[in-house]
Amino acid sequence: MIYPVQNIKSIISASGTIVHDASIEYLLVDSRKIVFPDSSLFFALTSSRRDGHDFIEEVHERGIRNFVVREDFDASLFPDANFLFVDDPLDALQQLAAHHRSQFNIPVIGITGSNGKTIVKEWLYQLLSPDYNIVRSPRSYNSQIGVPLSVWQMDAQHTLGIFEAGISEVGEMQELEKVIQPTIGLFTNIGDAHNEGFVDYAQKVAEKMQLFAHAQTLIGKGKDLLPQKLLKHAFQFETWGFSFENEFVVTAVNAAEKQSSVHIQYQSQELVFNVPFIDNASIENATTCTCLMLKLGYNSSIINGRIALLEPVEMRMQLKKGINNCTLLNDSYSNDISSLSIALDYLKQQSGNQPTTVILSDILQSGLQEKDLYTQVAQELQQRKVTKLIGIGEQLGSHQTLFKEIPSTAFYTTTESFLLQNSHSFKDEFVLLKGARTFAFERISHWLEQKVHQTVMEINLTAMVHNLKQYQQQLRPATKLMAMVKAFSYGSGSAEVARLLQFHKVDYLAVAYADEGIELRMAGISLPIMVMNADDAGFDALLEYNLEPEIYSFNIYHAFHQYLLLQGIAQFPVHIKLNTGMNRLGFDIDEVNGLGQLLVQNSSMVIKSVFSHLTSSEAAEHDGFTQQQAKLFEQGCTILENTLGYSFIKHIANTAAIFRHPNFQYDMVRLGIGLYGVDSANGKEVHLETVATLKSTVAQIRTVKANDSIGYNRKGTVLVDSKIATIRIGYADGFSRKLSNGIGSIYLQGQLAPVIGNVCMDMVMIDITNIPNVQEGDEVEIFGRHLPVQQMAEWCGTISYEIMTSVSTRVKRVYVEE
């Protein structure tokens, strides 16, 4: 639905002057998720760590003109924008979502409980979607912010809503009930999570029960809810469990090798359901779903047929390769005793007989007394025979005596102190990271994955800014700039380069794969990021890290569309690639109309940009072909715009085209290797500075007698007594074997020293006979300011792109500013 901003002002009882009409379709609380700025309303929410009002200038620059802010915010700097002033923007967000919910008279299932909410929601979607057009909470959007954003998705096409609600303290559920307004309730279970927010167990149950204040039906686990049934409720209250006090009586659960049979007695019927899981949590969640389907009138054969197809909801734990042949299990999504137990089981499963280390933070939301909590933690660790514990946090430190049975222990008050004081050696072991988010364990994860090598690549950030400005000066005022940071930013280091570009206000970043985008998000990059080679394995990452995929074929379109349907996501931003002559990836022009029809038919995606790739923009002899590509590109864009009924960003110009073909700037250009100091067009119009300098050092100097050989296969031979220096770089670092036997040289002491013999994996030898005063430990330049990367590319018979991106990640990057 679309709301005039004037109507929204009335709905949320806001003050302020509407300076221009606007139709609002999208609600924003995150500056990284701007898709349609003209029809978006930004709520400046305040949390303990961030204030949304601090991002208003940035959001305004990116096109947003409608804001909900606190009454004390000074909006005078933005005279062209509508500002709605309220006491609390979060309250206003919830009020607007509650009003929106009230416009629909469809069944809505509200789910709460301590555990299993997301799994039950996703399984119900799988079970009920053949019969309903379902709108549901994306992922785990169950908070005071996530719930209203979920409910805002409702529109006229939906026939059923499924929303989950999570709370951590008294007073929260009442607000979520107003937003969800469920007609059917599901109560999964009661556990220990967030106990600290409630006086006792009874208060916690009573608070969660408020979600169903105006529901017609409630189904829950009898063990947790039977006492509540003794109270008077306006809704029909049915429970499941093993006792005959329940309406759904579970008479038996029989687990086999890969499935379990659940026997349920309901309305005088004896029914058997086969669940494709054997763990207790999955059996409970499947039973909850089964009871709801029985209540809705489904017969057992239909339920059994659909339950057999249930798929597990993926765990959030990440398994990565670490330093020194370690394996890293990163499970920092949450930290409570239940999830710790699950993580430890997974650690044991993966590690086999190898040593295991647990790096654990304080557990902040257990509800238990500290000593009881950490006694239980110690028992969990001992039971899994954990070899080493590293505890981080004041609570763990104060109870370290409880862990004396673990062979090796160490305790630190903060993550920072661990990283600064750490003297631990990690080798040939499995390491579990289990930390509450406030402990920022991603820093430990990064450290455990870090590669160290004496050879370094020096990145001059000042030179990079100079190059960026050289290209920005050529752009029309309205033209946006996308910076290419794929392939480790052409070897320069993705996160550091991206931070610089974000500071200097580029509009977009582009990476090759989702992994590169994840690294940028974890480094705090909030710019929109296009992923150029998305595939099925990376779809989860696209959603979790707000990454926007390139859609280049019907196969990838259909795969991503099906994935978005399963996730309950609509209007996800994507970028369409057209093939205009590169013949690598992209839709041919005669396929564009069919693509447009699919995009209109399905609402899972929305086009953020359409682009193509010029094959020869740097070559004057191919200018005619470049013109032909641009013409085809314009035709494809016109077809899509006419079909879709809305406009999008268009871009085809790459680094060379920014200078050589300024008429093809369109809405945005893509700046790649020019940012890093290489002019691919070899023109005189642009004055670039060297950004990357690859350096190493002299490991050893020796005198080699005449006619002696050097290196493998005796390929290098000296005719006279010679001084040979061995340099700490080889083909494993990116110094190509093509540079062997005098083809390449290395710069030192103001001169070029030729390579002698074959380049080795980790070393290369050079002849320094005619270069005086060279000492062991001296610095040498592989490429950089004195020896251009273009020269090395010429020696190797390749291009600068390959040389720069071939520098191994084991080569440490060092960043300098002048």
Side-chain angles (χ1 to χ4, degrees):
M1 289 180 66
I2 297 175
Y3 287 80
V5 69
Q6 187 69 52
N7 288 12
I8 292 177
K9 178 184 176 184
S10 176
I11 291 167
I12 63 177
S13 301
S15 60
T17 303
I18 304 299
V19 298
H20 60 83
D21 293 333
S23 297
I24 302 302
E25 192 172 359
Y26 305 96
L27 306 184
L28 284 174
V29 297
D30 189 333
S31 62
R32 297 170 297 179
K33 297 183 179 180
I34 298 172
V35 178
F36 285 119
D38 291 341
S39 54
S40 296
L41 177 63
F42 181 79
F43 288 76
L45 304 183
T46 301
S47 69
S48 59
R49 294 182 60 192
R50 289 194 175 96
D51 187 345
H53 298 81
D54 296 337
F55 294 89
I56 286 178
E57 181 177 359
E58 174 189 333
V59 171
H60 183 268
E61 287 179 359
R62 294 175 58 189
I64 298 294
R65 293 296 180 269
N66 298 283
F67 299 86
V68 176
V69 297
R70 289 193 308 265
E71 290 180 337
D72 59 356
F73 180 76
D74 181 8
S76 61
L77 295 176
F78 312 96
D80 60 342
N82 295 323
F83 280 85
L84 307 182
F85 297 93
V86 296
D87 289 334
D88 185 346
L90 177 58
D91 288 346
L93 174 66
Q94 294 173 344
Q95 290 171 24
L96 180 58
H99 172 87
H100 182 68
R101 164 67 182 93
S102 67
Q103 307 306 300
F104 301 93
N105 185 25
I106 62 173
V108 170
I109 301 171
I111 306 172
T112 194
S114 296
N115 299 291
K117 296 184 292 294
T118 299
I119 293 174
V120 168
K121 178 201 67 186
E122 293 302 318
W123 282 357
L124 284 176
Y125 175 79
Q126 294 180 39
L127 294 166
L128 300 177
S129 58
D131 308 307
Y132 295 93
N133 191 329
I134 300 174
V135 56
R136 72 192 194 282
S137 309
R139 298 280 173 137
S140 298
Y141 275 37
N142 58 31
S143 67
Q144 299 292 302
I145 299 171
V147 167
L149 294 180
S150 299
V151 169
W152 185 257
Q153 297 177 111
M154 296 180 74
D155 63 34
Q157 68 180 350
H158 295 123
T159 57
L160 174 67
I162 308 177
F163 302 110
E164 54 177 300
I167 58 171
S168 58
E169 59 185 46
V170 173
E172 290 183 334
M173 191 61 85
Q174 183 178 358
E175 301 305 319
L176 297 186
E177 190 279 334
K178 296 175 185 175
V179 177
I180 298 175
Q181 302 169 34
T183 59
I184 301 169
L186 285 182
F187 203 131
T188 58
N189 56 46
I190 286 290
D192 294 333
H194 304 295
N195 277 352
E196 70 281 359
F198 306 94
V199 173
D200 54 23
Y201 179 91
Q203 186 187 52
K204 185 176 182 178
V205 174
E207 177 69 12
K208 288 180 179 289
M209 286 290 294
Q210 291 192 40
L211 177 61
F212 315 114
H214 301 96
Q216 300 166 10
T217 302
L218 172 62
I219 294 173
K221 185 179 177 183
K223 180 181 177 181
D224 298 325
L225 299 179
L226 283 175
Q228 280 285 330
K229 292 181 72 173
L230 300 176
L231 306 176
K232 289 185 177 180
H233 298 285
F235 49 79
Q236 189 175 8
F237 196 166
E238 299 187 357
T239 56
W240 67 266
F242 289 95
S243 76
F244 285 90
E245 298 172 275
N246 298 289
E247 285 73 20
F248 302 89
V249 181
V250 179
T251 57
V253 176
N254 300 316
E257 185 177 359
K258 293 184 179 180
Q259 70 173 24
S260 304
S261 61
V262 180
H263 298 248
I264 296 178
Q265 187 180 95
Y266 179 60
Q267 293 182 348
S268 303
Q269 299 181 75
E270 294 286 344
L271 307 170
V272 180
F273 301 96
N274 296 312
V275 178
F277 306 98
I278 59 174
D279 63 287
N280 290 334
S282 296
I283 293 170
E284 285 192 7
N285 291 330
T287 301
T288 298
C289 295
T290 299
C291 293
L292 175 63
M293 293 187 74
L294 287 170
K295 183 65 179 177
L296 293 176
Y298 286 86
N299 64 51
S300 60
S301 61
I302 291 178
I303 297 174
N304 258 321
R306 294 184 184 178
I307 281 183
L309 302 177
L310 287 180
E311 298 175 355
V313 178
E314 186 176 350
M315 292 180 64
R316 297 182 175 93
M317 196 176 302
Q318 298 174 323
L319 186 66
K320 301 178 179 179
K321 290 295 182 183
I323 59 173
N324 301 326
N325 199 36
C326 290
T327 300
L328 180 64
L329 279 71
N330 189 353
D331 188 29
S332 298
Y333 178 79
S334 63
N335 193 26
D336 55 66
I337 195 68
S338 299
S339 64
L340 174 62
S341 181
I342 293 170
L344 288 171
D345 284 339
Y346 191 57
L347 175 68
K348 185 65 177 176
Q349 173 190 329
Q350 293 292 327
S351 62
N353 295 322
Q354 286 190 263
T356 54
T357 294
V358 174
I359 304 179
L360 179 70
S361 80
D362 286 348
I363 297 176
L364 303 178
Q365 297 178 336
S366 70
L368 299 174
Q369 293 293 321
E370 276 189 21
K371 186 173 181 180
D372 294 337
L373 168 65
Y374 293 110
T375 298
Q376 187 175 347
V377 170
Q379 292 170 349
E380 295 273 359
L381 297 174
Q382 292 166 29
Q383 184 179 357
R384 274 76 168 199
K385 295 181 170 56
V386 169
T387 312
K388 179 166 51 179
L389 168 67
I390 297 173
I392 298 179
E394 294 180 356
Q395 293 179 14
L396 274 166
S398 65
H399 295 286
Q400 57 185 275
T401 57
L402 297 173
F403 301 94
K404 59 185 179 181
E405 298 299 321
I406 296 173
S408 175
T409 59
F411 296 89
Y412 301 86
T413 55
T414 65
T415 302
E416 183 73 18
S417 63
F418 166 73
L419 291 171
L420 289 174
Q421 302 172 25
N422 172 57
S423 59
H424 297 281
S425 175
F426 296 90
K427 186 177 182 181
D428 299 322
E429 58 194 286
F430 276 69
V431 182
L432 169 64
L433 287 180
K434 193 75 175 110
R437 287 189 172 184
T438 56
F439 285 87
F441 268 22
E442 62 270 15
R443 297 176 61 196
I444 301 176
S445 176
H446 176 72
W447 176 72
L448 287 172
E449 296 175 86
Q450 189 173 7
K451 307 294 188 296
V452 179
H453 191 336
Q454 186 169 350
T455 297
V456 300
M457 179 114 94
E458 183 179 278
I459 310 300
N460 189 319
L461 299 179
T462 305
M464 185 174 288
V465 171
H466 166 84
N467 298 339
L468 174 63
K469 291 181 178 178
Q470 285 284 300
Y471 287 98
Q472 286 177 325
Q473 289 169 6
Q474 306 302 313
L475 303 181
R476 294 188 291 267
T479 302
K480 301 178 184 295
L481 189 145
M482 172 183 283
M484 311 302 289
V485 293
K486 61 180 181 174
F488 200 50
S489 289
Y490 293 73
S492 297
S494 299
E496 293 78 7
V497 170
R499 289 191 191 101
L500 182 78
L501 297 172
Q502 180 168 269
F503 180 80
H504 287 278
K505 303 296 183 182
V506 303
D507 301 285
Y508 248 99
L509 299 177
V511 297
Y513 295 99
D515 287 349
E516 297 173 323
I518 292 171
E519 180 184 349
L520 298 184
R521 288 289 183 243
M522 295 184 72
I525 303 302
S526 59
L527 285 172
I529 299 174
M530 179 175 77
V531 178
M532 304 186 75
N533 295 289
D535 57 24
D536 298 36
F539 287 169
D540 279 335
L542 298 178
L543 269 65
E544 184 172 355
Y545 293 95
N546 305 314
L547 307 175
E548 302 172 5
E550 168 189 319
I551 303 297
Y552 53 81
S553 70
F554 285 112
N555 282 343
I556 197 70
Y557 168 81
H558 288 300
F560 193 49
H561 170 64
Q562 290 300 320
Y563 174 81
L564 292 174
L565 285 181
L566 289 174
Q567 297 296 318
I569 302 292
Q571 301 289 306
F572 195 86
V574 299
H575 302 261
I576 303 298
K577 185 167 190 177
L578 304 182
N579 175 36
T580 59
M582 178 68 80
N583 292 318
R584 185 175 60 182
L585 295 176
F587 293 92
D588 292 333
I589 300 306
D590 60 8
E591 296 177 316
V592 171
N593 185 61
L595 172 65
Q597 295 298 329
L598 283 174
L599 289 164
V600 170
Q601 178 182 340
N602 302 312
S603 60
S604 57
M605 303 175 214
V606 61
I607 295 181
K608 195 68 182 290
S609 84
V610 174
F611 71 104
S612 188
H613 202 113
L614 297 175
T615 70
S616 314
S617 60
E618 70 278 6
E621 64 269 27
H622 296 301
D623 282 351
F625 190 76
T626 299
Q627 299 281 345
Q628 179 182 325
Q629 282 193 270
K631 184 176 180 181
L632 287 173
F633 176 66
E634 291 174 1
Q635 290 175 5
C637 289
T638 299
I639 293 170
L640 275 176
E641 282 188 329
N642 290 339
T643 304
L644 297 173
Y646 62 83
S647 59
F648 38 73
I649 298 170
K650 306 175 189 68
H651 51 112
I652 195 173
N654 53 11
T655 297
I658 293 173
F659 273 88
R660 295 202 68 251
H661 301 282
N663 52 319
F664 297 150
Q665 289 184 13
Y666 298 114
D667 303 308
M668 184 161 68
V669 299
R670 301 189 301 274
L671 178 58
I673 201 165
L675 184 64
Y676 307 93
V678 179
D679 178 13
S680 57
N682 295 317
K684 297 181 180 179
E685 302 93 343
V686 58
H687 303 284
L688 303 180
E689 294 183 359
T690 300
V691 170
T693 301
L694 182 58
K695 299 178 178 182
S696 191
T697 57
V698 176
Q700 187 177 30
I701 298 173
R702 69 171 64 249
T703 299
V704 178
K705 296 296 184 180
N707 300 314
D708 276 359
S709 63
I710 298 164
Y712 286 114
N713 304 119
R714 305 192 68 195
K715 290 296 185 180
T717 303
V718 295
L719 301 179
V720 298
D721 292 355
S722 303
K723 289 179 66 177
I724 304 300
T726 300
I727 310 301
R728 293 182 173 96
I729 191 170
Y731 58 77
D733 304 297
F735 192 82
S736 174
R737 290 188 83 245
K738 295 177 181 179
L739 298 166
S740 301
N741 302 306
I743 299 299
S745 295
I746 288 175
Y747 179 90
L748 76 163
Q749 304 286 23
Q751 298 184 50
L752 291 178
V755 173
I756 186 165
N758 282 334
V759 176
C760 308
M761 180 181 287
D762 307 301
M763 299 285 177
V764 63
M765 287 70 72
I766 58 175
D767 189 342
I768 59 170
T769 303
N770 298 316
I771 304 176
N773 304 319
V774 178
Q775 304 291 323
E776 291 180 0
D778 281 359
E779 186 176 83
V780 301
E781 182 178 298
I782 311 303
F783 64 73
R785 187 170 297 176
H786 304 99
L787 178 52
V789 67
Q790 294 94 322
Q791 178 61 70
M792 179 172 280
E794 184 179 329
W795 287 336
C796 291
T798 185
I799 56 177
S800 302
Y801 297 80
E802 182 177 351
I803 300 297
M804 294 182 66
T805 58
S806 295
V807 178
S808 170
T809 52
R810 81 176 186 178
V811 174
K812 185 177 180 180
R813 271 63 174 177
V814 177
Y815 300 88
V816 298
E817 291 193 51
E818 296 175 354

